[in-house]
Amino acid sequence: MAQTSEKKVRTRFAPSPTGFVHIGSLRTALFSFLFARHNKGAHVLRIEDTDQSRLVEGAVANLLMVMGRMGVEFDEGAYVNAEGKLLERGEFGPYLQSERLPIYQKHVQELVDSKKAYHCFCTEERLDALRKEQTALKKPPMYDKLCKSLTEDELQNKMSEFNAAGISPVVRFAMPSEGTTTVHDLVFGDIRYENKLLDDQVILKSDGFPTYHLAVVVDDHYMEITHVVRGEEWIPSTPKHLLLYEAFGWVPTSFAHLPLILNPDKSKLSKRQGDVSVEDFLNKGYLPEALLNFVAFLGWNPKTEQEKFSLEELIEQFDLAKVNKSGAVLDTNKLDWLNGQYIKQKVSHELANLLVPYWVEAGMLHGQLNNLTIKQLEDLPAKREYLEFIATLEKERLKKLSEIGERTGYFFKRPEYEPELLVWKKSTAEDAKEKLQGLITFFKNLPAEVFNTHETLQNSLMEDYIQKNQYDVGSVLWPLRVALTGEKASPGPAEVASVLFRGLGLEEILTRLQTAVSLLSK
Ligand code: GLU
């Protein structure tokens, strides 16, 4: 087998970019990147665009943008410059398969010349009928090698017929009809295949484009890839690749297949964009560092207690030997937890900046990062500190940045609620009104510095208002909370009042209390 260990490690990520970036693709790219970096090797980006019908405009630029946000880097291959132009760098190019057609065609011809591959003239109708027949007999559908046994004359005749019609026949690789091929996989171990069960795969299509199997082998060889890291779904293709390496007389790369990613009920992961697209995860407000950490654990386990890893730590500790064979469950509760951990670590200034787009999207803020207004509060300029105070308050509780709108609306808009909500369960409207009026007077007389931290405000509320008047705690804090937030559940009313005071001033608190009193007076 391949003795690649002394060579400089070279891995590649080889997507067929057809739109959004699937979480599974991110995992493949990340693992191949981590393995390359850990071994001081190179990471190559090769674009597998041989299926021209599936190409999507801008997909490569989008892919690179997503990988860039996630910290997955490429040392060689396709890249997009500042003007958005797709370019290539490195000594093993071209890195776009559509630009390598002559290389593939030359190699296919070599195989045809040495009788390791053959032209196939079968029509779609014949292949269809064959498939149906085999399926009816419960046999695996396979090409029956009809064209492999054409005599030289038959072959020439068919060729002239096709030439006259201006069509090129496809080329099939002739799989050996006996013996076995063993895949030595770094994750899954040895897997043996009976050669006779391998289909004579088309390697060159009639449009002159290679199929995946041919292109991947030729490219991995010429790009001097030492380790192919890719998803488990490619295992059944690997014996075909190994036989192609053998036919060319090349030493194959090493292979590491990554386990399937599963839903929590162990079913196959959905392909629905909203559930699996990396862009959507980021848009929902998962931090790249949390998502990266989460994805690293999809099939890899450091076998220690450590749960949080930075990219540097992942590079240092990543080892293909610690990749599991069993399916990796995509547990979004775990992701929520991790994201919450990373949010907690953010300094308020940074967190506020990250939250601004979500406040804007929720309609709470208007304008640009440095020139924001709060529309619902008479176009009040949104002071940076105010946003930071709110961010600090929510930091411990947030799981996703996108929750911020629904959690903090009352900081940007006076609350609307039914007056009954102001009445605590053990109390009356009259009592609530009295407590709120008392609070207005109490707050008016409170020195500003008491409002500066929620602890000092909470202490003063408890000692100088509630205990002093021998009030029931709930009968005061409940209507205060509702008057300030319009919500049944929120951070503590002293926390909210302190933020409102520091961000918008005492007037805002008094206005809200006054509104509540008026509602109760109706
Ligand atoms: N182009 C294939 C894909 O889209 C690459 C598979 C491989 O890595 O060999 O997943």
Side-chain angles (χ1 to χ4, degrees), residues 20-41:
F20 69 90
V21 182
H22 192 282
I23 193 95
S25 300
L26 173 61
R27 198 261 315 250
T28 300
L30 175 65
F31 284 26
S32 108
F33 168 65
L34 294 177
F35 184 74
R37 279 286 180 279
H38 180 87
N39 292 290
K40 312 247 174 316

Side-chain angles (χ1 to χ4, degrees), residues 12 14-16 46 48 212 216 220 228-230 233-234 241:
R12 71 352 180 234
S16 311
R46 180 173 73 229
E48 305 214 323
Y212 159 72
V216 80
D220 286 338
V228 164
V229 178
R230 63 185 172 197
E233 64 277 18
W234 298 104
H241 299 172

Side-chain angles (χ1 to χ4, degrees), residues 75-338:
D75 308 299
E76 241 177 67
Y79 76 100
V80 174
N81 72 2
E83 284 83 51
K85 201 164 152 30
L86 183 59
L87 299 169
E88 306 186 19
R89 63 181 158 210
E91 291 165 22
F92 297 83
Y95 294 90
L96 261 56
Q97 288 189 331
S98 57
E99 291 174 4
R100 300 173 63 82
L101 301 186
I103 308 176
Y104 306 127
Q105 286 159 358
K106 172 173 163 267
H107 284 83
V108 169
Q109 193 54 50
E110 236 177 65
L111 293 179
V112 172
D113 292 345
S114 59
K115 303 258 177 297
K116 290 172 181 162
Y118 58 93
H119 289 104
C120 174
F121 305 90
C122 291
T123 59
E124 258 325 302
E125 293 74 49
R126 172 168 197 275
L127 296 174
D128 247 5
L130 184 64
R131 256 192 303 270
K132 285 195 184 116
E133 199 179 302
Q134 290 166 329
T135 316
L137 294 169
K138 302 213 161 23
K139 286 187 180 164
M142 271 173 89
Y143 181 60
D144 62 358
K145 300 180 191 260
L146 180 70
C147 291
K148 193 182 167 197
S149 49
L150 293 179
T151 63
E152 200 51 45
D153 282 349
E154 286 169 329
L155 181 67
Q156 289 314 326
N157 288 341
K158 283 277 182 199
M159 220 26 140
S160 323
E161 247 177 65
F162 267 58
N163 282 344
I167 323 169
S168 302
V170 303
V171 177
R172 289 184 185 272
F173 181 60
M175 296 289 172
S177 43
E178 47 198 38
T180 59
T181 299
T182 302
V183 175
H184 303 287
D185 189 82
L186 294 171
V187 173
F188 285 80
D190 284 3
I191 312 168
R192 213 160 66 133
Y193 290 85
E194 295 272 347
N195 292 340
K196 66 170 185 284
L197 298 179
L198 301 174
D199 202 3
D200 278 5
Q201 214 75 54
V202 171
I203 52 174
L204 193 72
K205 296 182 276 186
S206 57
D207 60 4
F209 276 75
T211 58
Y212 159 72
H213 300 293
L214 188 274
V216 80
V217 168
V218 169
D219 291 349
D220 286 338
H221 173 71
Y222 283 111
M223 293 180 187
E224 297 186 13
I225 300 303
T226 58
H227 294 76
V228 164
V229 178
R230 63 185 172 197
E232 181 181 338
E233 64 277 18
W234 298 104
I235 292 182
S237 299
T238 312
K240 300 174 190 173
H241 299 172
L242 289 173
L243 288 166
L244 277 165
Y245 276 102
E246 197 178 299
F248 286 122
W250 296 337
V251 176
T253 61
S254 298
F255 293 94
H257 288 91
L258 309 176
L260 292 177
I261 303 178
L262 306 172
N263 290 315
D265 66 359
K266 299 277 162 86
S267 60
K268 203 160 173 278
L269 190 61
S270 120
K271 289 210 180 340
R272 280 224 328 268
Q273 176 162 355
D275 302 336
V276 292
S277 122
V278 177
E279 296 92 308
D280 286 359
F281 276 107
L282 292 170
N283 291 340
K284 279 181 212 159
Y286 290 107
L287 301 174
E289 52 270 48
L291 194 55
L292 187 86
N293 198 141
F294 174 71
V295 168
F297 272 79
L298 292 175
W300 173 76
N301 190 326
K303 310 231 155 75
T304 61
E305 295 291 295
Q306 190 175 346
E307 284 180 303
K308 275 171 64 208
F309 285 82
S310 66
L311 187 58
E312 290 67 35
E313 289 170 314
L314 288 173
I315 290 172
E316 197 186 299
Q317 299 199 28
F318 186 78
D319 184 354
L320 282 172
K322 289 182 183 152
V323 174
N324 311 312
K325 280 192 264 200
S326 48
V329 171
L330 190 89
D331 176 2
T332 43
N333 291 329
K334 172 90 192 292
L335 175 58
D336 284 350
W337 174 82
L338 260 176

